Amino acid sequence: MDVTLSVQRHNPDANPATWWQDYTVTVPDHATVLDALLAVRDEQDESLTVRCSCRSHICGSCVMRIDGRSALGCKTKVAEALRRGGAEGRVRVQPAGNMAVLKDLAVDLEGFFGKVRAVQPWLQPVGPEPEREYLVPNEAMLRVRDAMACILCGACVSACNSLEVDDRFLGPAALAKAWRFTEDPRDGHDRDRLEFLSSVPGGIWDCTHCFACVEVCPKDVKPMERIIELRRRAMDAGFTDNNGARHSQAFRDTIAHSGWLDETKVAVRSVRGPDELLDWVGVGARSFLRGKVPLRHKAIPGALRVTAIVSAAERTAAGSARGGAAAGAAPHGAPGHGPGSGGGSGA
Amino acid sequence: MAVTTHDVLVVGAGLAGMRAALAAQARGSDVAIVTKVYPVRSHSNAAQGGINAALNPEDSWESHAYDTVKGSDYLGDQDAIEVLAREAPAAIVELERMGVVFSRDEHGRLGSRNFGGASHARTYFVGDFTGQAILHVLYEQLVRSGIRTYNEFFCTQLLRDGGGTVSGVVALDIRTGEVHQFLARAVILCTGGIGRVFEPSTNALICTGDGDALAYRAGAPLMDMEMVQFHPTTLQSNGALISESARGEGGHLVNRLGERFMAKSAPNAMELASRDVVSRAAQIEINEGRGVDGCVLLDVRHLGAARILERLPQIRELALEFAGADMITDPVPVLPGMHYQMGGIRTDIRGATPVPGLFAAGECACVSVHGGNRLGANSLLETVVFGRRAGEAAAEFASGRPVPGFSESPREDEERRLRALVQRDGTGRTAALRLEMGRTMTSRVGVFRDGAGLAEAEAALRSLRERAGAVAIGDKGRLFNQALVAALELDYMLDLAQCVVAGAIARTESRGAHTRLDHPKRDDAHWLRHTLCYAAEGGPRVDTAPVAITRWEPKERRY
């Protein structure tokens, strides 16, 4: 099959600009986008830079954007990319997002790995070591294993909408890594970890629940769901003196109270106190001018029935550590982002 | 940063490299790692099935050692194999305490699975991505240690002082194109295998045997290079590996007639005979027309969807993607494919090579614990056991030695050489030559070999060497010049291919993975010996060395 790859290229040594270059190659039907890029490099243009190694989505080297979507080149079939919308037999290939381009498809990974290092990503047991292995149930290991499936490829970081506006955000990969330790029964520093993740700038409350990381993760690690679990656990552990936790609590409270979201109330109650509220006056004013802060809410018929749903959901979820995704998804779509942005349920 | 100095410099950041670095640091050395990719990108990731240890009270290190000796077809050095088997239980427990999420039994203890060539279920595992799970935990420990890693540096040369002792490396910073000099009191090579010498191979594209070539050029002997493992179950479309755990969990191999053909060559162990035995059997089925489109069939359907999804999730995904077969409902077509080098840089049981100051561990090294054939799940074990030993030995060596003297000239010379290489008017493409080399090796130096085919391979490699010396580099820039790196890698691999062929020509017998159709019998009288390849004018010079036999006298191998 013939395919044309449109590759976004950049070589700062020769040219400060980026440019698009088209290559047409013949590849087998089962070829991946990486196979096609390697065919280009091997047969047409040796100057095309692409990091790659395993060809079987285990090393995480070849993350890139294919027709705008963050993915591993070795896990995306050419035929599939063409079907999904490549116009006129063309597949568009760009370097991963949210990381500086070094050359062609190679991006700067130092920041990415720096954030992984920032979460103290190693097991920190407390107490004397056992004589042999730690005794832990297989189910607990299987749960942690699902997060250990992360290959640190950075597809989630490439796709992350929060990172696009604030590069301090630790990001989905590092936070999924952090989750792995809070979930591991052998680790004895849950509380320290949760406190750090709650309070550090760019911590767990900076995720906007956009699901992009869940969609693009090639190993089904579901980073966003782990971030939501971290939030719940942080609040359960009492780390509520921060805007994210306050926002989440206020969110829940206003819905439990009246069945609808009173965004003004949520915004006011999300901040630490009146002094901090002053920082948000500008945002409030702009929101008001755009009609996002109505002076009076119309009564919504049946809204109170929502409060019954909240109570029922809280009864069901009580004590469950795994119901996080569903509860956390509730505020999804709230347009008026206060500090922290839409939070998980505090229940 | 044109020159940096460390006590111990580790080349490669896979399992062996990281374990060696941690061990050297624990012994008080200032350690750094130089790696051509980022640490978690190493090929250790690809090890699927597990890691062996006689941890179960009903098992014993002697049994593990004996299985390994038998698996090696008696070519493994028994002193080294004893070390491997004795130190295995502590090594696995250590990994567990570092945080590896090993599968558990119903009591919460480490749970094991069956594997080929083993008389007990002694393979400990994390689903079917054990290598990745261990690699990432060692990376966690590396982060904790604060050990410096120089990522994306490609080593082009070992530095040696006036007395011949290794004193560092010269390396190309792939990212910037600058050449750097790393001085060190000891160097440990942990660069992995030579997979890309063959085409296809289960190995990652980075497995180009850089450390083997560096050591060889510095005068170290490469041992038993003819011993190349062909894994029985790889996918036809891209050579990807389907783990032995598929058979360990109970999978069957059948031919087009539906027969479990292993009954003919291994009536007791069946599909769990050692890999050389299974690969030969599968290749015979294919060669004699009982295959299916050049493959045999791996059938795990009887295990049921739940077990397949829990124990074999990753390989199911690979088979779906690259063979279009869902293991839950279909058998998967597979064939033997190049997978592992048993040979490598000769070391003693502390990881020291015959060249002073130079150490090696992992797949690039040959201690030798695998001899003529490696058992599944012994490779991960080797990386941590001998990685640690090499790290400790290198730290000790470094502490007794002054900082090597510095001269700017090796760096400048290398810079000039590389610049000339990039700028020359060459002909031909590196990729085409690499493919030709790989296909030649697979067709002439594959599962079955003979004198005539090996002679053809030898001649083909000579021609390739000549053409590779004049190849054009299609990128004239400095940043990320992957064309330059590929040409340097091909230059390394041609040395290694020549050693594989030279060893295969010399060894006029059939042992382990090395099957000579013109010498079909094992010949203990002449060949209970290692082959050694030394770099010399016009190609490798072959010598031999005795095998260490401690307590298991060679006898016929039956599975």
Side-chain angles (χ1 to χ4, degrees):
Chain A
M1 133 182 86
D2 285 351
V3 61
T4 299
L5 300 173
S6 288
V7 184
Q8 183 187 313
R9 301 204 57 191
H10 180 51
N11 180 3
D13 213 16
N15 180 352
T18 62
W19 74 97
W20 287 88
Q21 193 160 347
D22 285 3
Y23 302 98
T24 301
V25 279
T26 306
V27 292
D29 289 346
H30 59 74
T32 63
V33 172
L34 178 64
D35 291 334
L37 285 165
L38 292 182
V40 168
R41 198 171 77 182
D42 287 353
E43 296 158 19
Q44 298 180 22
D45 186 353
E46 286 188 349
S47 76
L48 178 66
T49 291
V50 51
R51 286 192 183 109
C52 57
S53 179
C54 74
R55 301 161 300 140
S56 50
H57 29 92
I58 193 78
C59 80
S61 302
C62 67
V63 64
M64 56 186 74
R65 282 177 296 167
I66 299 165
D67 291 319
R69 186 175 187 275
S70 299
L72 294 178
C74 71
K75 211 189 174 194
T76 310
K77 295 279 182 67
V78 169
E80 196 184 296
L82 288 173
R83 248 197 323 276
R84 229 188 359 237
E88 304 117 36
R90 186 180 297 264
V91 177
R92 274 159 39 98
V93 180
Q94 290 167 278
N98 290 325
M99 289 172 270
V101 178
L102 298 173
K103 185 186 169 207
D104 296 340
L105 301 179
V107 294
D108 191 345
L109 296 167
E110 292 302 319
F112 172 78
F113 282 107
K115 286 173 179 176
V116 171
R117 285 194 294 270
V119 304
Q120 298 207 344
W122 58 87
L123 194 73
Q124 298 175 30
V126 289
E129 280 205 327
E131 242 170 72
R132 270 185 38 160
E133 71 269 34
Y134 288 94
L135 297 183
V136 285
N138 196 41
E139 297 67 45
M141 287 291 98
L142 286 176
R143 231 179 6 257
V144 179
R145 194 187 90 177
D146 289 344
M148 283 305 290
C150 171
I151 55 177
L152 295 177
C153 67
C156 54
V157 162
S158 166
C160 177
N161 284 298
S162 281
L163 273 170
E164 215 169 299
V165 294
D166 182 2
D167 68 6
R168 287 177 311 172
F169 182 37
L170 286 170
L175 291 174
K177 188 80 170 162
W179 177 92
R180 163 250 191 285
F181 296 102
T182 62
E183 189 68 18
D184 194 319
R186 298 168 296 181
D187 193 274
H189 285 264
D190 295 31
R191 280 190 63 84
D192 305 339
R193 292 179 187 278
L194 292 168
E195 183 175 15
F196 168 77
L197 296 170
S198 299
S199 56
V200 68
I204 47 178
W205 294 103
D206 277 11
C207 162
T208 63
H209 289 187
C210 72
F211 282 84
C213 58
V214 177
E215 265 173 32
V216 302
C217 175
K219 305 307 276 191
D220 202 23
V221 171
K222 303 186 179 76
M224 187 198 80
E225 293 184 11
R226 300 186 194 280
I227 295 170
I228 291 170
E229 281 194 42
L230 284 170
R231 289 176 175 182
R232 165 177 294 101
R233 297 190 53 179
M235 289 182 73
D236 285 350
F239 300 115
T240 50
D241 184 19
N242 57 70
N243 292 355
R246 274 189 290 269
H247 181 75
S248 178
Q249 190 64 41
F251 211 111
R252 178 240 163 238
D253 290 349
T254 155
I255 292 173
H257 170 73
S258 55
W260 52 270
L261 183 67
D262 183 338
E263 290 178 351
T264 313
K265 212 185 271 176
V266 168
V268 170
R269 288 173 53 181
S270 294
V271 296
R272 194 179 55 240
D275 51 328
E276 201 187 343
L277 199 53
L278 284 177
D279 298 344
W280 291 90
V281 165
V283 176
R286 283 197 298 279
S287 301
F288 179 78
L289 290 174
R290 292 190 185 157
K292 286 178 181 272
V293 188
L295 290 174
R296 207 170 59 80
H297 283 275
K298 274 185 256 172
I300 303 167
L304 274 177
R305 286 213 301 271
V306 175
T307 63
I309 297 172
V310 173
S311 318
E314 288 184 350
R315 274 197 304 276
T316 316
S320 154
R322 299 279 297 166
H332 179 64
H337 283 182
S341 79
S345 161
Chain B
M1 199 198 67
V3 182
T4 48
T5 304
H6 296 280
D7 293 336
V8 174
L9 194 70
V10 180
V11 183
L15 283 178
M18 290 200 282
R19 189 65 195 84
L22 291 167
Q25 190 195 47
R27 287 285 168 103
S29 282
D30 161 43
V31 189
I33 297 181
V34 175
T35 161
K36 70 174 174 178
V37 292
Y38 275 80
V40 292
R41 308 290 183 232
S42 305
H43 189 55
S44 306
N45 265 324
Q48 296 168 346
I51 179 165
N52 286 335
L55 261 175
N56 185 321
E58 286 137 43
D59 199 356
S60 67
W61 75 262
E62 289 93 341
S63 167
H64 181 187
Y66 170 69
D67 289 344
T68 304
V69 168
K70 178 182 170 191
S72 82
D73 216 348
Y74 296 90
L75 188 63
D77 285 312
Q78 295 181 9
D79 54 344
I81 291 172
E82 287 191 24
V83 167
L84 182 81
R86 277 177 195 270
E87 296 185 1
I92 272 69
V93 168
E94 180 187 59
L95 290 173
E96 193 280 331
R97 288 185 192 158
M98 285 178 179
V100 178
V101 292
F102 282 117
S103 183
R104 307 286 162 151
D105 65 14
E106 63 277 19
H107 308 295
R109 287 196 168 282
L110 296 173
S112 59
R113 67 167 31 136
N114 288 307
F115 236 60
S119 50
H120 283 83
R122 65 168 74 95
T123 300
Y124 295 85
F125 64 100
V126 182
D128 60 357
F129 58 94
T130 313
Q132 183 208 328
I134 299 177
L135 185 76
H136 280 247
V137 166
L138 274 191
Y139 174 66
E140 292 166 6
Q141 296 297 312
L142 192 75
V143 171
R144 175 190 192 174
S145 75
I147 288 171
R148 175 87 193 257
T149 64
Y150 299 95
N151 305 319
E152 304 194 307
F153 279 78
F154 181 82
C155 289
T156 59
Q157 200 191 117
L158 287 172
L159 290 169
R160 302 173 73 185
D161 67 16
T165 302
V166 169
S167 55
V169 305
V170 179
L172 170 73
D173 181 348
I174 299 171
R175 195 170 151 164
T176 64
E178 286 163 25
V179 175
H180 292 270
Q181 209 168 180
F182 295 89
L183 296 180
R185 303 185 208 210
V187 172
I188 312 176
L189 297 171
C190 301
T191 53
I194 64 164
R196 303 317 303 175
V197 166
F198 287 75
E199 180 66 40
S201 162
T202 63
N203 286 196
L205 301 176
I206 56 173
C207 298
T208 53
D210 308 342
D212 285 32
L214 287 165
Y216 177 67
R217 291 173 181 195
L222 300 183
M223 188 159 95
D224 296 335
M225 290 296 280
E226 67 279 12
M227 293 302 180
V228 174
Q229 180 161 80
F230 292 83
H231 194 289
T233 58
T234 69
L235 298 180
Q236 195 166 33
S237 72
N238 66 350
L241 173 69
I242 296 297
S243 165
E244 188 163 304
S245 40
R247 284 170 288 135
E249 295 293 339
H252 296 162
L253 284 171
V254 296
N255 61 19
R256 72 182 306 157
L257 308 170
E259 297 163 343
R260 286 178 69 187
F261 55 84
M262 285 312 300
K264 289 179 266 185
S265 46
N268 299 314
M270 294 293 285
E271 284 84 357
L272 288 178
S274 68
R275 287 176 181 172
D276 55 333
V277 174
V278 182
S279 277
R280 268 191 296 274
Q283 195 64 53
I284 286 171
E285 294 302 305
I286 294 165
N287 291 354
E288 295 183 354
R290 292 185 297 278
V292 180
D293 300 328
C295 292
V296 293
L297 298 174
L298 172 65
D299 193 348
V300 299
R301 289 174 296 178
H302 54 282
L303 301 180
R307 193 164 178 89
I308 292 170
L309 290 173
E310 188 203 325
R311 299 290 185 99
L312 308 167
Q314 191 202 179
I315 60 175
R316 172 175 172 259
E317 198 181 300
L318 284 175
L320 258 177
E321 216 147 297
F322 297 118
D326 184 345
M327 300 178 105
I328 294 172
T329 51
D330 314 305
V332 184
V334 292
L335 77 170
M338 190 284 176
H339 181 56
Y340 187 86
Q341 65 163 143
M342 273 72 74
I345 309 159
R346 183 181 201 184
T347 73
D348 64 20
I349 56 173
R350 305 184 66 226
T353 74
V355 174
L358 186 64
F359 298 77
E363 189 172 347
C364 73
C366 186
V367 187
S368 153
V369 289
H370 309 306
N373 172 69
R374 174 175 70 78
L375 294 188
N378 265 353
S379 56
L380 289 184
L381 178 61
E382 181 193 12
T383 63
V384 288
V385 167
F386 289 97
R388 179 179 61 73
R389 288 178 149 254
E392 289 171 355
E396 201 171 296
F397 183 90
S399 68
R401 182 188 177 201
V403 178
F406 164 68
S407 137
E408 177 68 8
S409 60
R411 194 188 68 80
E412 287 171 352
D413 292 350
E414 195 67 339
E415 208 158 52
R416 264 194 297 278
R417 179 179 80 97
L418 296 184
R419 203 180 307 130
L421 195 60
V422 168
Q423 280 162 2
R424 77 178 171 206
D425 288 323
T427 49
R429 282 179 177 278
T430 302
L433 298 185
R434 190 187 62 221
L435 197 62
E436 190 180 328
M437 170 185 70
R439 288 183 175 157
T440 302
M441 293 300 284
T442 299
S443 66
R444 300 289 181 269
V445 201
V447 175
F448 294 108
R449 304 164 173 179
D450 61 38
L454 292 171
E456 283 171 35
E458 197 181 29
L461 290 174
R462 263 200 301 275
S463 147
L464 278 163
R465 167 65 77 195
E466 242 166 66
R467 284 178 284 154
V471 83
I473 309 293
D475 186 349
K476 304 297 179 195
R478 294 182 312 134
L479 313 187
F480 279 99
N481 192 329
Q482 295 181 322
L484 171 62
V485 173
L488 295 170
E489 287 172 340
L490 176 65
D491 188 46
Y492 283 169
M493 288 193 286
L494 284 168
D495 274 1
L496 306 176
Q498 285 187 311
C499 291
V500 173
V501 171
I505 289 174
R507 190 177 288 280
T508 48
E509 65 156 355
S510 290
R511 180 187 301 272
H514 173 70
T515 308
R516 288 278 301 253
L517 294 171
D518 48 351
H519 298 278
K521 289 254 179 316
R522 194 174 85 190
D523 178 3
D524 287 342
H526 296 97
W527 281 109
L528 192 59
R529 296 184 76 77
H530 299 295
T531 62
L532 299 175
C533 284
Y534 290 90
E537 270 309 303
R541 174 175 67 79
V542 181
D543 199 352
T544 66
V547 174
I549 306 280
T550 57
R551 57 172 91 192
W552 296 283
E553 284 303 319
K555 55 185 183 191
E556 199 190 336
R557 242 167 125 220
R558 287 219 177 98
Y559 283 102

